Amino acid sequence: MTYRRAVIPALVGSLIVTLLLWWAGKSSSALELRGATQVFDAQSVSELRVWLRPWAYDVPAALVTDGSTDAVTGGGAGLGGGSRYADLYTTAMQIRFVAVFAFFLAGALLLLRRLPPTEGRTPAAVLGLWAWTPMAAMLAVTVSAPWEIASYGQGSFRFLPRLASVITSSGPVTVPVGLVAALVTVLVARIAAKGEEPAPRAIVEPRAARLAASAGTAVTALSLVVLSYQSVAGWIQTSFDGGGLLSEPGDLLRAWLLIGSWASPAASPIGDWLLYRAADALVLVVVWWALRLLPGLLTRTTVPAMAVCGVCATVLGLTAGRLVHIAFDDAFVIPGPVSLVTQLDAGVPAALTFGVAAGLTALVTLRLAGAPDTGEAPTADSGEPGPVLAH
């Protein structure tokens, strides 16, 4: 799919994501109404506040440092510190919504270009766009975090731990928003692709594809099994000492490096421990299967395409693992839809780090294993023989 055809559905998807997040953030004040607990239970209302807080555009009341409402509404600008801090928060939210539009647009363009929703690629395109939405939101929150932190008047106090806290709270609302945006984007892309000759699926030697998937999955397992082990994770977070900034990077590294959380069997009954390890194994299975299929699904296995698709594969694996974790947390309680979605955005920052590494590792292994180069797959009328599938 050419960029000329992909730009319209990518723009539509970006607008949907941005408008839905803006609408959700503007609706957060409705949770303060007296009837909110009559529609939702108290726990769901509390969880919805967590969903919407990163995208709430209204200035928090905590920023009214001079005790007047004028600082929040904008009246008397420049007369008190509260107005300046409120302006910083507004700037942070403006940057956040512009950034989420730009990040989703960039990812959607690449995914639609290399993974067009045609010729059996439609489910993969929907899943890829859905998984990319929480990543785009996390990147947008990261870019705008310094302004938000500064708006509370203590930007230099424990900046890195606060930055880590903001980054990991992009909000579970991106999960349902991403699903809606992915479906609409793929629908528009199928309409835009009419009349264009679909690119045939590449035929990759199975041994090379399996080897590449195994190498990429091993990179993800490094975070999920080794770095996320309780003692190693604790060392990462507490290994920095000294004063000032030298004592702070641990929290930020933990956010970007740890996908899961491992503990020894002594910390819990062996049966429960094995059930949780089965959920972690599911994460690796999903990542392996996605990386195994990618060389045949992509119209061209380029570095950007494999990096972004590696990120999406890792996010999908984490989502599958979290669903299993939720089922094991309390077998006697059936979580509602709000509680179910609340836990599905965990580990997104680390998924960026190790998703990119997994995708690039799989690509390098694929080339070393003798897979075809990164050229476009030959068409049926080009007169060039394509690669032969080995059985």
Side-chain angles (χ1 to χ4, degrees):
M1 192 174 188
T2 63
Y3 282 118
R4 181 176 59 84
R5 291 178 180 268
V7 68
I8 294 178
L11 283 171
V12 171
S14 301
L15 284 172
I16 290 175
V17 168
T18 306
L19 291 177
L20 285 179
L21 289 176
W22 179 84
W23 171 77
K26 292 294 287 186
S27 302
S28 61
S29 58
L31 297 174
E32 307 298 331
L33 298 177
R34 183 177 302 176
T37 54
Q38 297 177 359
V39 179
F40 304 100
D41 58 87
Q43 180 180 355
S44 296
V45 170
S46 177
E47 291 174 343
L48 284 172
R49 289 195 184 102
V50 175
W51 281 32
L52 305 181
R53 193 209 63 78
W55 306 99
Y57 204 90
D58 294 334
V59 179
L63 299 186
V64 189
T65 58
D66 59 359
S68 68
T69 57
D70 289 340
V72 176
T73 60
L79 298 178
S83 178
R84 294 195 299 271
Y85 295 143
D87 290 342
L88 279 174
Y89 185 85
T90 301
T91 301
M93 298 311 297
Q94 290 171 346
I95 295 173
R96 184 165 300 178
F97 282 103
V98 172
V100 76
F101 178 90
F103 281 123
F104 185 88
L105 177 63
L109 273 174
L110 184 59
L111 287 171
L112 292 175
R113 168 69 169 149
R114 299 302 176 197
L115 198 62
T118 56
E119 294 293 322
R121 297 184 175 101
T122 300
V126 172
L127 291 175
L129 290 168
W130 181 33
W132 179 249
T133 306
M135 188 59 60
M138 186 275 297
L139 291 172
V141 170
T142 303
V143 169
S144 61
W147 284 267
E148 181 182 354
I149 294 172
S151 69
Y152 287 93
Q154 296 176 335
S156 60
F157 175 72
R158 291 185 57 80
F159 177 77
L160 294 183
R162 294 172 69 186
L163 179 63
S165 177
V166 173
I167 289 173
T168 56
S169 63
S170 55
V173 69
T174 57
V175 176
V177 165
L179 183 58
V180 173
L183 292 173
V184 175
T185 302
V186 167
L187 178 61
V188 176
R190 289 183 66 90
I191 296 174
K194 286 185 177 180
E196 183 181 50
E197 183 178 354
R201 293 185 57 172
I203 303 176
V204 183
E205 204 275 326
R207 178 181 171 277
R210 288 194 295 266
L211 187 61
S214 299
T217 305
V219 174
T220 305
L222 173 66
S223 172
L224 185 64
V225 179
V226 179
L227 298 182
S228 296
Y229 193 74
Q230 194 174 47
S231 59
V232 180
W235 177 83
I236 291 174
Q237 190 167 6
T238 60
S239 60
F240 295 89
D241 55 9
L245 291 177
L246 292 180
S247 63
E248 297 181 355
D251 290 340
L252 192 61
L253 283 177
R254 185 183 179 97
W256 288 100
L257 297 180
L258 272 60
I259 289 180
S261 177
W262 272 69
S264 62
S268 60
I270 186 65
D272 293 343
W273 186 85
L274 290 175
L275 288 175
Y276 277 99
R277 299 293 74 81
D280 294 331
L282 178 61
V283 174
L284 298 179
V285 169
V286 172
V287 172
W288 186 91
W289 188 249
L291 293 176
R292 165 67 179 83
L293 295 178
L294 276 177
L297 289 173
L298 293 172
T299 59
R300 190 177 183 185
T301 52
T302 61
V303 170
M306 287 297 293
V308 171
C309 289
V311 169
C312 295
T314 306
V315 173
L316 290 175
L318 287 176
T319 302
R322 289 306 305 167
L323 287 174
V324 176
H325 271 298
I326 293 170
F328 292 158
D329 283 340
D330 195 339
F332 300 100
V333 177
I334 300 177
V338 176
S339 299
L340 186 66
V341 177
T342 297
Q343 305 180 50
L344 295 185
D345 68 331
V348 174
L352 175 65
T353 305
F354 288 93
V356 170
L360 297 182
T361 301
L363 178 61
V364 171
T365 307
L366 198 65
R367 295 291 162 253
L368 294 177
D373 203 354
T374 56
E376 298 285 356
T379 58
D381 56 354
S382 63
E384 300 178 2
V388 180
L389 178 64
H391 297 280

